[in-house]
């Protein structure tokens, strides 16, 4: 009985394996840089604390030095005086790096349509995942980290060459829904108030 | 309501017809001309014991019904010994938007006057460090003036975009 090589050895090409390995490592050990400027920062802290526990997804190592981080979470409104600071912190982060825009204010300015408040940080730095909400619940932030992990797994390369193609200003793009995104909790959520039987 | 002795001592300092008073919801306001402002504040601090400057703020009366002057600058004073409060008000018009600084009387006037300068463009003569305090130094407008648009003149988006390929 002859034993074929394919049965016992995983045959693959080196580059996809290296990409897969890098993405596996990067996605499961995101180190967030908490750029918390407003009330979203409180929800960010709650996400990091024991009840919601961002450590379950490997992103618990929050560092306050941009040199040690690879995920910037902009939580809160950014005013024009803060924009150069934000850009500088973004540039100081080492590659590969990603950015989550957390909350309505960071994503669009929210209710603060005034002379000083920037209407969306994606005008000035690249954003990977947007989180709606005012402020978003910790579950939403955790979902955004899961989405970012999925994005890293799907598009990441070991050399980071996918970043070089992003040369223009980007807005939010639609993502393909996975089966797990379509699972809904049972119940009627068509109204906010409960319908009591008479 | 403010006691008559305070008003009398103020009359002694300034002269009888140099200020007017008005009342609104138990608050007394003293309205003086800009050139008598510093003397008023000095007298209220040294003679009547208003030892704390609670606030310096300003109002733009552009398009305000029945307003005669463009800007009003308001000093809120407090006597910490007996809890009396007093508001000193003065009115300014363009182009002469300069009034004396209250910094020699109260050190706390430093940042409050910088804020009024930042938001309204009212200059305080004798202020040790009259720079913008809230807006960035390269900002040129005065955003709390009523002729400044609510959404600004595009200053908030006047920054370069950093794309992902560049960073």
């Amino acid at each position: 009985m002859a034993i074929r090589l394919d049965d016992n050895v995983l045959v693959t090409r080196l580059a996809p394996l290296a990409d897969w390995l890098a993405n596996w490592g990067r996605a499961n050990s995101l180190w967030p840089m908490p750029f918390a400027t407003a009330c979203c920062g409180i929800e960010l802290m709650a996400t990091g604390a024991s009840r919601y526990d961002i450590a379950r997804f490997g992103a618990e190592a929050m560092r306050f030095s941009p040199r040690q981080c690879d995920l910037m979470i902009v939580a809160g409104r950014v005013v024009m005086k803060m924009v150069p600071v934000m850009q500088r912190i973004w540039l100081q982060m080492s590659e590969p790096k990603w950015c989550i825009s957390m909350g309505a204010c960071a994503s669009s300015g929210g209710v603060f349509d005034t002379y000083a408040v920037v209407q969306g940080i994606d005008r000035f730095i690249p954003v990977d995942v947007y989180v709606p909400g005012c402020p978003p619940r910790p579950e939403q932030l955790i979902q955004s980290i899961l989405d970012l992990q999925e994005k890293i797994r799907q598009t990441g390369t070991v050399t980071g060459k996918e970043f070089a193609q992003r040369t223009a200003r980007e807005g939010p793009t639609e993502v393909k829904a996975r089966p797990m995104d379509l699972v809904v909790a049972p119940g009627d959520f068509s109204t906010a108030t409960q319908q009591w039987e008479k | 309501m403010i006691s008559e002795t305070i008003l009398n001592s103020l009359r002694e300092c300034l002269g009888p017809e140099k200020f007017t008073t008005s009342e609104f919801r138990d608050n007394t306001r003293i309205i003086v001309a800009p050139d008598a402002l510093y003397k008023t504040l000095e007298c209220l601090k040294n003679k009547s014991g208003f030892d704390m400057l609670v606030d310096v703020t300003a109002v733009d009366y552009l398009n305000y019904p029945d307003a005669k002057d463009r800007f009003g600058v308001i000093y809120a004073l407090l006597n910490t010994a007996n809890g009396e409060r007093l508001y000193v008000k003065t009115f300014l018009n363009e182009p002469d938007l300069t009034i004396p600084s209250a910094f020699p009387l109260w050190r706390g006037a430093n940042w409050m006057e910088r804020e009024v300068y930042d938001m309204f463009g009212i200059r305080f003569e004798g202020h040790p460090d009259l720079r913008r305090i809230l807006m960035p130094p390269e900002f040129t407008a005065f955003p709390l003036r009523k002729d400044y648009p609510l959404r600004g003149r595009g200053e908030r988006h006047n920054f370069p975009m950093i794309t992902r390929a560049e960073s």
Side-chain angles (χ1 to χ4, degrees):
Chain A
M1 194 172 80
I3 296 173
R4 282 178 26 228
L5 189 66
D6 293 14
D7 289 343
N8 289 323
V9 182
L10 178 67
V11 179
T12 176
R13 271 188 281 170
L14 190 60
L17 178 68
D19 287 349
W20 177 85
L21 207 61
N23 292 339
W24 178 73
R26 286 166 184 172
N28 292 306
S29 70
L30 291 166
W31 287 32
M33 157 88 222
F35 194 89
T37 51
C39 42
C40 281
I42 305 294
E43 296 295 302
L44 177 60
M45 288 174 224
T47 315
S50 56
R51 185 179 177 94
Y52 294 98
D53 197 8
I54 210 170
R56 294 179 292 158
F57 310 100
E60 80 279 18
M62 297 221 186
R63 289 290 179 271
F64 294 91
S65 164
R67 312 256 183 220
Q68 301 173 350
C69 298
D70 54 8
L71 167 62
M72 183 151 99
I73 301 179
V74 181
R77 69 196 86 92
V78 175
V79 293
M80 56 180 287
K81 209 172 175 179
M82 208 67 189
V83 169
V85 180
M86 181 180 70
Q87 288 185 328
R88 189 167 179 170
I89 287 178
W90 171 254
L91 290 174
Q92 282 176 345
M93 285 166 62
S94 49
E95 293 278 356
K97 57 191 173 186
W98 297 273
C99 178
I100 287 178
S101 166
M102 179 183 179
C105 297
S107 303
S108 71
V111 297
F112 302 99
D113 190 6
T114 72
Y115 59 91
V117 180
V118 165
Q119 303 296 295
I121 59 160
D122 57 353
R123 291 166 184 266
F124 305 117
I125 59 168
V127 173
D128 289 285
V129 181
Y130 299 80
V131 191
C134 184
R137 285 196 55 88
E139 292 94 327
Q140 284 172 272
L141 186 63
I142 288 171
Q143 180 66 52
S144 77
I145 286 175
L146 293 175
D147 287 347
L148 182 64
Q149 289 180 348
E150 190 64 29
K151 181 173 182 174
I152 293 168
R153 284 194 207 101
Q154 284 179 10
T155 65
T157 55
V158 66
T159 53
K161 62 175 182 283
E162 78 275 14
F163 296 134
Q165 295 155 8
R166 296 165 62 181
T167 52
R169 182 187 161 190
E170 305 155 342
T173 49
E174 209 169 331
V175 289
K176 209 166 59 187
R178 291 160 289 159
M180 61 170 280
D181 297 328
L182 303 174
V183 176
V184 288
D188 178 18
F189 297 101
S190 56
T191 91
T193 49
Q194 190 164 4
Q195 304 288 311
W196 296 100
E197 284 178 29
K198 282 174 187 160
Chain B
M1 277 293 289
I2 212 82
S3 70
E4 199 60 31
T5 51
I6 292 170
L7 297 180
N8 281 334
S9 79
L10 201 55
R11 281 188 195 103
E12 264 176 46
C13 283
L14 299 173
E17 299 295 318
K18 286 294 238 185
F19 65 93
T20 56
T21 61
S22 65
E23 290 274 330
F24 183 72
R25 290 187 181 160
D26 291 345
N27 284 329
T28 306
R29 297 177 291 204
I30 290 178
I31 296 128
V32 292
D35 52 349
L37 176 74
Y38 188 80
K39 221 173 168 191
T40 310
L41 294 172
E42 195 176 25
C43 177
L44 287 169
K45 189 199 172 191
N46 295 332
K47 302 272 171 60
S48 308
F50 286 98
D51 51 352
M52 182 175 170
L53 180 66
V54 179
D55 201 6
V56 179
T57 184
V59 184
D60 186 355
Y61 287 107
L62 185 72
N63 301 328
Y64 192 84
D66 304 326
K68 293 186 200 71
D69 302 287
R70 173 80 195 267
F71 294 103
V73 183
I74 299 116
Y75 293 77
L77 307 182
L78 171 67
N79 184 337
T80 52
N82 59 12
E84 263 181 327
R85 283 173 194 273
L86 187 64
Y87 296 87
V88 178
K89 216 167 169 180
T90 186
F91 292 101
L92 294 170
N93 281 298
E94 280 180 314
D96 182 28
L97 295 178
T98 307
I99 52 172
S101 170
F103 178 74
L105 299 172
W106 297 279
R107 291 292 143 107
N110 190 335
W111 282 15
M112 296 193 271
E113 288 178 349
R114 278 177 67 186
E115 188 183 355
V116 170
Y117 166 69
D118 193 357
M119 292 288 138
F120 294 93
I122 293 163
R123 304 194 70 87
F124 291 87
E125 216 161 20
H127 190 285
D129 183 27
L130 197 64
R131 286 179 294 132
R132 287 183 179 275
I133 188 168
L134 296 172
M135 303 307 291
E138 60 271 17
F139 202 77
T140 51
F142 299 111
L144 248 53
R145 288 188 180 184
K146 293 293 178 197
D147 53 3
Y148 184 78
L150 190 66
R151 294 188 170 89
R153 299 196 179 106
E155 296 97 334
R156 62 184 177 179
H157 293 150
N158 195 14
F159 293 94
M161 163 84 199
I162 296 179
T163 65
R164 188 63 186 83
E166 290 165 358
S167 57

